[in-house]
């Protein structure tokens, strides 16, 4: 049974964190901006004074045993990158505080002669040496040949069939186990938290604890912690996190290929003691409850798309009720290997596979533009469009998202959102309320009190009268009304000119 974390916490409340994180200004960006002092303690409070009493749904933990037992699914799409992918798995299991609750899904795209991600992981894990061989606290699954093999889910594909990262992530999502999906029986049941990373990332010690602690600090069940994470130079050989005083924060866009919005390079937030609300989503690191993956799947028909993937995901998540945050300094517990990738998805194709690329790519780009409300020319593939963009069921409107993110398609200049943002209440809260059982954005009893008379004769203010007292009052009112009507009729009959 799900419980609100605030109600379930047994430990005494921690002392309030120091205030004063600063968003570092930039001059080398599309829309320059100065340093901005942030107030994350107010970020979940709407700016509109009339709505300032509203808040997002509080975070819940669905797993018995609390946050440190919650299952985490780590998903990555690997494109002919077996060695680095295997090392990613090795550090994920070996450096977790509780590796028993970690499940990893890999969409592994290879050609004949390539090694596989799983093979490379097993080589490292089988050695049993160093912080990365399946350790952590309470290790109960250390096989001799390949520890934790049964916690790895693999989907293999020929690299020649790849149609880009967005389509790859669409297939990767099939490895997530949702409640009611019919596959909960395997390796521990339902996945509660989902982490999307690139297949060349490196984990630090106790990363699983820090990620969930950070998500809880969003104070938002619909929170998605996401950014462009720092380079692996932040990780010591033993898995210790060197730590950064500044954390990447995505707050601006520019026009990418085909005019589609593309995220600018991240700026930094200094002294981020808690996650910071932002309007953008980053593909290299995204941590949230897995119900976000079920609600908004990656679009499997957006072939060959690179620019536009991140902006469209931000739009679809936000309109469905989700909110993006960059991590805190402690929550930045995973790093990215920014050395050159060995292969690119648009290479390694035969002439036959490339024959339809131009048409497929144009339809994929137009499909993304359709998602975000941007005009386009030419054909578009509208297959299962409502599955990926349920425009008839939006908690917030597309126009609201454009205002929130500063990107417009009506001729107005695009704007950065590199300042303090505030949570935007749902225009259709019932769509979130039906997903978050027991939560109401505007509690129904509050609405009833708002519409109740302030005072009534014989009753305390805002209390109303009991039913038995109202019955004779209503009868008396009705009798008086009837008498007035009869008098009017008699008057008109007897004194008509």
């Amino acid at each position: 049974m799900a419980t609100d974390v605030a109600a379930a916490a047994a430990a005494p409340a921690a002392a309030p964190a120091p205030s004063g994180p600063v968003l570092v200004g930039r001059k080398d960006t599309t829309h320059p901006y100065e340093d901005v002092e942030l107030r994350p303690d107010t970020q979940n409070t709407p700016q509109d004074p009339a709505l300032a009493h509203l808040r997002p749904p509080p975070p819940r933990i669905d797993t018995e045993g609390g946050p440190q037992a919650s299952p985490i699914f780590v998903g990555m799409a690997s494109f002919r990158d077996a060695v680095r992918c295997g090392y990613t798995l090795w550090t994920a299991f070996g450096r977790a505080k509780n590796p028993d609750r970690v499940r990893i899904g890999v969409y592994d795209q290879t050609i004949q002669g390539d090694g596989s991600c799983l093979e490379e992981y097993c080589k490292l894990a089988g050695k049993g040496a160093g912080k990365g061989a399946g350790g952590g606290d309470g290790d109960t699954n250390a096989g001799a040949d390949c520890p934790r093999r049964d916690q790895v889910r693999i989907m293999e594909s020929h690299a020649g069939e790849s149609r880009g990262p967005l389509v790859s992530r669409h297939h990767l999502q099939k490895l997530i186990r949702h409640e009611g999906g019919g596959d909960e029986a395997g390796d521990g049941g339902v996945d509660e938290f989902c982490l999307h990373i690139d297949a060349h990332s490196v984990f630090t010690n106790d990363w699983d604890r820090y990620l969930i602690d950070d998500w809880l600090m969003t104070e938002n069940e619909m929170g998605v912690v996401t950014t462009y994470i720092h380079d692996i130079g932040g990780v010591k050989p033993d898995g210790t996190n060197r730590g950064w005083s500044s954390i990447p924060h995505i707050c601006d866009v520019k026009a990418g290929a085909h005019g589609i919005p593309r995220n600018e390079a991240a700026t930094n937030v200094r002294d981020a003691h808690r996650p910071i609300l932002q309007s953008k989503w980053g593909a290299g690191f995204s941590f949230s409850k897995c119900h976000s993956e079920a609600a908004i799947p990656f679009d499997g028909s957006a072939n060959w798309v690179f620019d536009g993937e991140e902006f469209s995901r931000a739009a679809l998540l936000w309109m469905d009720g989700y909110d993006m945050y960059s991590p805190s300094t402690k929550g930045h517990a995973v790093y990215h290997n920014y050395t050159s990738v060995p292969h690119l998805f648009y290479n390694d194709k035969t002439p036959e596979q490339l024959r339809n690329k131009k048409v497929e790519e144009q339809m994929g780009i137009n499909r993304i533009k359709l998602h975000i409300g941007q005009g386009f020319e030419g054909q578009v593939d509208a297959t299962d469009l409502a599955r990926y963009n349920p425009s008839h069921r939006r908690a917030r409107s597309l126009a609201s998202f454009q205002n929130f993110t500063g990107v417009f398609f009506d001729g107005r200049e695009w704007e950065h959102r590199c300042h303090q943002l505030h949570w935007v209440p749902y225009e259709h809260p019932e769509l979130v309320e039906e997903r978050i059982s027991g939560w109401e954005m505007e509690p129904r009893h509050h609405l009833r009190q708002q519409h109740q008379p302030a005072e009534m004769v014989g009753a305390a203010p805002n209390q109303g009268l009991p039913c038995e007292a109202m019955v004779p009052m209503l009868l008396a009112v009705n009798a008086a009304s009837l008498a007035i009507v009869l008098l009017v009729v008699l008057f008109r009959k007897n004194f008509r000119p």
Side-chain angles (χ1 to χ4, degrees), residues 416-431:
H416 71 73
R417 287 295 181 259
C418 302
H419 49 73
Q420 181 63 65
L421 298 180
H422 292 267
W423 180 73
V424 177
Y426 308 126
E427 295 156 50
H428 294 283
E430 68 276 6
L431 301 180

Side-chain angles (χ1 to χ4, degrees), residues 51-380:
L51 304 175
H53 61 287
L54 301 178
R55 295 292 184 276
R60 299 178 173 189
I61 294 297
D62 300 318
T63 304
E64 185 177 351
Q68 300 315 318
S70 298
I72 300 175
F73 172 85
V74 181
M76 61 195 82
S78 174
F79 187 85
R80 304 194 62 195
D81 200 8
V83 173
R84 297 194 302 177
C85 181
Y87 186 73
T88 301
L89 269 64
W90 187 69
T91 61
F93 283 128
R95 295 172 181 171
K97 179 74 173 177
N98 178 8
D100 290 341
R101 50 96 165 264
V102 176
R103 301 89 179 266
I104 298 182
V106 181
Y107 182 64
D108 201 8
Q109 302 158 95
T110 61
I111 65 171
Q112 187 174 4
D114 287 347
S116 74
C117 180
L118 183 62
E119 289 171 350
E120 294 299 328
Y121 161 68
C122 290
K123 289 177 185 178
L124 293 168
K127 293 177 182 178
K131 186 72 170 175
D137 293 347
D139 187 9
T140 60
N141 186 6
D145 297 327
C146 191
R148 304 194 177 278
R149 168 63 186 89
D150 59 348
Q151 292 171 244
V152 181
R153 308 166 193 165
I154 299 289
M155 181 182 292
E156 296 179 334
S157 175
H158 193 283
E161 300 298 325
S162 174
R163 293 296 182 270
L166 205 162
V167 177
S168 296
R169 279 186 255 274
H170 163 79
H171 292 301
L172 175 63
Q173 281 183 317
K174 299 173 185 177
L175 298 175
I176 302 171
R177 292 181 175 156
H178 300 286
E179 188 171 0
D183 52 6
E184 301 94 329
D187 63 35
V190 173
D191 301 323
E192 184 170 6
F193 287 93
C194 281
L195 170 64
H196 275 287
I197 56 171
D198 288 337
H200 34 273
S201 303
V202 177
F203 291 79
T204 59
N205 297 338
D206 298 346
W207 63 268
D208 51 328
R209 175 170 70 89
Y210 289 121
L211 261 58
I212 291 182
D213 286 350
D214 217 40
W215 177 83
L216 290 172
M217 285 199 295
T218 67
E219 299 179 342
N220 188 346
E221 173 70 15
M222 308 292 279
V224 180
V225 182
T226 178
T227 195
Y228 296 144
I229 50 181
H230 281 305
D231 182 74
I232 55 174
V235 187
K236 293 183 179 181
D238 65 354
T240 300
N241 190 345
R242 297 182 189 275
W244 289 79
S245 61
S246 297
I247 299 300
H249 182 84
I250 312 171
C251 59
D252 199 7
V253 297
K254 60 184 177 181
H258 309 282
I260 294 180
R262 173 177 178 163
N263 291 345
E264 274 274 19
T267 186
N268 286 298
V269 175
R270 291 198 304 263
D271 303 321
H273 57 267
R274 63 183 294 176
I276 306 295
L277 187 66
Q278 64 184 19
S279 63
K280 312 298 188 291
W281 181 84
F285 179 89
S286 178
F287 185 73
S288 65
K289 279 293 193 70
C290 290
H291 54 65
S292 67
E293 307 290 332
I296 302 295
F298 289 96
D299 192 338
S301 295
N303 294 308
W304 304 103
V305 169
F306 187 79
D307 285 5
E309 175 200 4
E310 294 174 314
F311 186 82
S312 65
R313 181 122 187 109
L316 296 176
L317 284 169
W318 195 85
M319 289 188 291
D320 203 58
Y322 292 91
D323 298 283
M324 284 76 68
Y325 300 78
S326 58
S328 72
T329 50
K330 288 188 175 181
H332 190 293
V334 184
Y335 289 77
H336 188 278
N337 186 341
Y338 284 103
T339 58
S340 298
V341 295
H343 301 279
L344 298 171
F345 75 88
Y346 45 78
N347 294 334
D348 302 315
K349 302 290 188 291
T350 66
E352 182 178 357
Q353 291 166 337
L354 291 172
R355 184 175 298 121
N356 297 321
K357 177 180 181 294
K358 185 175 182 180
V359 174
E360 290 178 353
E361 182 178 25
Q362 187 62 56
M363 290 199 296
I365 291 165
N366 286 345
R367 189 175 172 97
I368 292 296
K369 290 184 175 182
L370 195 61
H371 285 323
I372 62 177
Q374 186 175 9
F376 62 88
E377 296 179 356
Q379 296 178 310
V380 63

